[in-house]
Amino acid sequence: QVQLVESGGGLVQAGGSLRLSCAASGSRFSINAMGWYRQAPGKQRELVAAITSGGNTDYADSVKGRFTISRDNAKNTVYLQMNSLKPEDTAVYYCNAGVHRDKYIPIDWGQGTQVTVSS
């Protein structure tokens, strides 16, 4: 099992930036990608971005051009740089470790970090 600890959430004004970090420990043989999901109040959890061990990335259409996912393999850490934030980006953001073949499938989850964007 992979343990994941997120940090970096908080309150920011619209148009501002935040960077989320996710430190991973432990291992699972099948893991070859990491990602971020988010869940806003009253909405389903949705994929925000994912990155494979080879550095290939996927993004939700709603965040393309504003968010960037990256990873530091030496530190076992994945990041989500969020720029030009909008009130609709307000959600709990969850880091996960998973498998990416045709699409990204999360397996292990962090506890989540709150991001609130004020208008």
Side-chain angles (χ1 to χ4, degrees):
Q1 186 175 357
V2 177
Q3 292 78 43
L4 303 163
V5 179
E6 303 100 333
S7 61
L11 173 65
V12 65
Q13 288 188 332
S17 298
L18 282 175
R19 189 176 81 155
L20 305 183
S21 299
C22 174
S25 61
S27 65
R28 189 191 291 271
F29 179 75
S30 57
I31 297 296
N32 69 348
M34 295 186 71
W36 291 91
Y37 271 67
R38 67 185 180 187
Q39 187 167 22
K43 294 188 176 181
Q44 288 189 329
R45 198 172 290 191
E46 62 174 355
L47 176 66
V48 176
I51 185 167
T52 69
S53 55
N56 294 319
T57 57
D58 288 333
Y59 294 95
D61 288 342
S62 59
V63 306
K64 284 180 181 177
R66 300 188 298 121
F67 290 11
T68 302
I69 189 170
S70 61
R71 62 191 296 165
D72 184 333
N73 290 331
K75 295 182 178 180
N76 290 328
T77 300
V78 64
Y79 305 97
L80 186 68
Q81 178 66 44
M82 305 184 294
N83 299 328
S84 302
L85 282 161
K86 304 175 181 179
E88 51 263 45
D89 294 318
T90 295
V92 178
Y93 284 71
Y94 297 90
C95 175
N96 36 74
V99 177
H100 192 291
R101 293 188 175 85
D102 295 331
K103 64 178 182 178
Y104 176 66
I105 300 172
I107 298 176
D108 295 307
W109 293 78
Q111 293 299 307
T113 185
Q114 177 69 47
V115 171
T116 303
V117 184
S118 63
S119 57

